[in-house]
Amino acid sequence: MAEETRKMAFICSKGNLDMAYPALVMGWAALGNGIDVTIFFTFWGLDLINKARVDHLEIPPIANTSMKMNMMGIPGYIGIPQFMGIIPGMTPFATKLMKEKMKALGVPPVREYLQMLVDAGAKLYACKMSVDMMGLKKEDFVDGVIDIVTAGDFMDMTENAQIIFI
Amino acid sequence: MPTKKIAGFEVQVNDEGFMTNPAEWNKEIAVALAKEEGIEELTDAHWKVIEFCRQSAAASGAAPTLRAITNGAGVSTKDLFALFPKGPAKKVARISGLGKPEGCV
């Protein structure tokens, strides 16, 4: 195969549990299909690679109108009243439900999933501006994060790549 | 359904070159398909993965996903990607005489 390897780059800007998965699932599929994968973590997306945060990502029902009670086994698409989202314990409850659903589907937790991607050759980078803003250091990140880079570096390293912003 | 001659055997394949009847597969075909995929020699480590895929598909009816392979065949993600470089998902399934893996993980 002399043709050039297809390249994909994901920009992860969100730190909620549900928003951790798109890049992991698509990145894993891309690697499995022989596509070169780079992931750039910026703003709240840094939580996905922050050692202290990656196992504690959450999904809040508040302001999430797609989340319906059928996740709790109630049939149909009955909404969760928004005021209920502010009740203490709702976010951990929703998070626990989502983690259980993912586990039942055989989807690994975020930390393990990231490691799979790294082992398969994905290159992970943290955004310098966000890192500076949040007062983080390279030691705060999980193994596999290659470096802290600027937006300009990211442009250089993703030449000819298809870029997906999450 | 188109057919293709692989290693001297006439087998049924789909448009993407995946065999459609796992019963037509044999080890000589696997060696020939591996060469087509750029793998010159199938080592014991390759066979371990291929045999796991065959067993898994015989039980479930579909080619296993990469994670199912690493968990089930006892091979690490790193090794799996080194054994079948540049896209193991399709390569492993094709060499094993199975369809594309169904499932995202």
Side-chain angles (χ1 to χ4, degrees):
Chain A
M1 283 200 293
E3 71 217 61
E4 204 174 314
T5 304
R6 186 173 158 196
K7 289 163 81 179
M8 292 185 99
F10 297 88
I11 301 171
C12 292
S13 70
K14 307 279 202 306
N16 283 358
L17 181 62
D18 51 331
M19 296 310 279
Y21 280 100
L24 296 173
V25 175
M26 285 189 280
W28 181 244
L31 292 160
N33 279 11
I35 298 167
D36 183 274
V37 171
T38 299
I39 313 181
F40 184 71
F41 297 88
T42 185
F43 264 81
W44 314 121
L46 287 175
D47 270 8
L48 312 189
I49 50 169
N50 186 331
K51 273 188 233 173
R53 290 287 307 139
V54 62
D55 298 322
H56 306 286
L57 305 176
E58 296 181 297
I59 174 167
I62 202 159
N64 183 347
T65 53
S66 288
M67 197 179 224
K68 302 297 181 192
M69 292 219 222
N70 55 10
M71 268 191 95
M72 293 175 247
I74 297 167
Y77 292 97
I78 304 164
I80 302 170
Q82 283 296 294
F83 75 87
M84 282 179 70
I86 61 166
I87 297 173
M90 276 303 275
T91 296
F93 176 67
T95 302
K96 186 168 164 281
L97 272 181
M98 185 173 165
K99 284 186 174 173
E100 280 168 5
K101 295 259 175 203
M102 286 294 197
K103 196 173 174 192
L105 289 172
V107 179
V110 175
R111 183 189 286 266
E112 190 185 337
Y113 217 147
L114 266 178
Q115 188 59 51
M116 277 161 52
L117 270 90
V118 169
D119 288 346
K123 297 180 282 282
L124 314 185
Y125 295 97
C127 156
K128 182 164 181 354
M129 197 185 87
S130 309
V131 165
D132 290 347
M133 186 184 83
M134 297 181 189
L136 295 165
K137 296 183 294 297
K138 186 153 184 290
E139 302 83 76
D140 294 318
F141 298 127
V142 296
D143 292 342
V145 175
I146 297 171
D147 207 356
I148 296 166
V149 300
T150 65
D153 295 333
F154 176 76
M155 294 307 149
D156 287 340
M157 62 179 76
T158 56
E159 195 176 338
N160 299 324
Q162 293 166 301
I163 297 181
I164 299 174
F165 181 85
I166 295 158
Chain B
M1 189 69 70
T3 61
K4 187 181 172 188
K5 211 169 178 106
I6 306 170
F9 300 91
E10 191 82 15
V11 298
Q12 295 180 356
V13 293
N14 67 15
D15 298 341
E16 293 180 89
F18 288 83
M19 289 175 63
T20 52
N21 181 1
E24 291 180 336
W25 179 91
N26 62 41
K27 291 195 167 185
E28 289 162 71
I29 290 176
V31 170
L33 288 173
K35 284 213 169 82
E36 281 184 23
E37 295 287 354
I39 299 166
E40 283 308 310
E41 196 195 343
L42 290 176
T43 63
D44 289 349
H46 289 103
W47 285 115
K48 192 169 122 183
V49 171
I50 294 166
E51 272 156 24
F52 170 79
C53 291
R54 297 283 307 170
Q55 284 165 8
S56 172
S60 74
T65 62
L66 290 179
R67 184 166 158 81
I69 295 172
T70 54
N71 282 344
V75 54
S76 72
T77 302
K78 262 186 199 167
D79 289 346
L80 184 60
F81 276 77
L83 288 168
F84 301 90
K86 295 256 160 223
K90 286 193 207 169
K91 278 189 187 179
V92 173
R94 189 161 173 263
I95 294 168
S96 305
L98 308 167
K100 270 196 274 191
E102 292 168 26
C104 297
V105 201

